[in-house]
Amino acid sequence: MIGKEAAFYFEGEQDTYQTVQPLFSGNENVIYVESWQRRKDGQKRLLAWWCRVLKDENGT
Amino acid sequence: MNQAFCEMLGYTPEEFDHQRWQDITHPDDMEMTQHAIDPLLAGEKASVRFSKRYLHKDGSVVWADVSTSLRRDQNGKPLYFMTNVSDITERKRAEDAVRALSYRQEVILSAVPDIIMEVDKDKVYTWANQAGLEFLARM
């Protein structure tokens, strides 16, 4: 699982990447997002994420 | 040995006259040190480098980075070791502190029931706490 892209576990079409894009472009530090994900056994789970940017000591 | 080595281990040059390397080496590093210098004595290597613990005169541990080579006479008979020793005690302590802190954080994060995951700039999972790993294992 480690090493796989997050979208690998997405269930159906979703705009999660667009929602969290401000984190990657540096415009936001924290974003709340809900995302449907599919388990290996086929069950769907709605996960609520608080996504936070981790920065080094230089703020990068 | 020079003054710096004497000061590193708390001895006077005169006191060192009666010391063997075994006398100032941490007991747990005795075998490792012998193993490290065996290739020099056997003529298999020209020099070796390794980390080891010395014992200070006051009993405290001194970590050192050791580079040594064996000097021989024209007949190949061993004469003495030419050794360069750097005190790396503070570096070792810092490494131990970082390791302990990392372990402590790992234990704390493992105890958190919520899923905590890390993705890189390409949105690839690079780390997960125990709850995250268990959740992903079911996916």
Side-chain angles (χ1 to χ4, degrees):
Chain A
M1 297 117 243
I2 300 298
K4 284 184 178 168
E5 192 178 337
F8 178 82
Y9 302 103
F10 287 176
E11 168 61 29
E13 290 290 318
Q14 51 185 277
D15 58 0
T16 303
Y17 276 5
Q18 292 96 304
T19 304
V20 300
Q21 186 53 40
L23 296 172
F24 293 88
S25 55
N27 297 322
E28 294 285 350
N29 284 321
V30 181
I31 287 177
Y32 175 82
V33 63
E34 294 178 355
S35 169
W36 280 98
Q37 316 240 339
R38 187 180 62 256
R39 300 196 324 193
K40 190 175 181 179
D41 61 8
Q43 290 191 43
K44 299 173 186 176
R45 287 287 187 273
L46 178 60
L47 301 186
W49 300 91
W50 281 101
C51 305
R52 179 182 294 272
V53 178
L54 298 179
K55 297 181 179 179
D56 63 20
E57 61 270 23
N58 299 317
T60 304
Chain B
M1 64 288 305
N2 66 1
Q3 186 63 29
F5 189 66
C6 293
E7 290 176 2
M8 187 179 94
L9 297 184
Y11 291 96
T12 64
E14 294 74 31
E15 289 173 317
F16 257 128
D17 285 343
H18 310 291
Q19 304 277 12
R20 303 168 303 150
W21 68 262
Q22 292 92 338
D23 298 324
I24 54 174
T25 294
H26 190 287
D28 292 345
D29 286 351
M30 207 81 79
E31 189 177 337
M32 180 276 296
T33 302
Q34 184 64 57
H35 185 72
I37 63 176
D38 278 346
L40 298 177
L41 295 165
E44 298 168 356
K45 286 185 178 178
S47 64
V48 294
R49 181 177 178 180
F50 54 96
S51 297
K52 66 174 283 186
R53 287 166 291 182
Y54 285 101
L55 287 177
H56 191 277
K57 186 180 178 182
D58 66 11
S60 62
V61 172
V62 178
W63 273 99
D65 178 68
V66 180
S67 299
T68 187
S69 57
L70 181 60
R71 298 302 164 95
R72 300 172 183 271
D73 64 18
Q74 60 265 41
N75 297 318
K77 182 183 175 186
L79 292 173
Y80 56 88
F81 287 101
M82 180 64 80
T83 305
N84 186 305
V85 180
S86 299
D87 187 341
I88 58 169
T89 306
E90 287 308 312
R91 193 187 84 194
K92 280 286 186 182
R93 283 182 184 151
E95 289 172 353
D96 288 346
V98 168
R99 199 175 298 114
L101 178 61
S102 177
Y103 175 75
R104 186 177 173 191
Q105 290 176 337
E106 193 76 28
V107 169
I108 292 170
L109 289 169
S110 294
V112 175
D114 290 338
I115 295 170
I116 303 175
M117 314 253 299
E118 180 186 66
V119 296
D120 62 16
K121 59 181 174 53
D122 297 318
K123 302 178 183 69
V124 170
Y125 285 125
T126 55
W127 180 87
N129 70 343
Q130 192 60 33
L133 290 172
E134 289 174 4
F135 183 84
L136 286 174
R138 290 196 293 266
M139 297 183 74

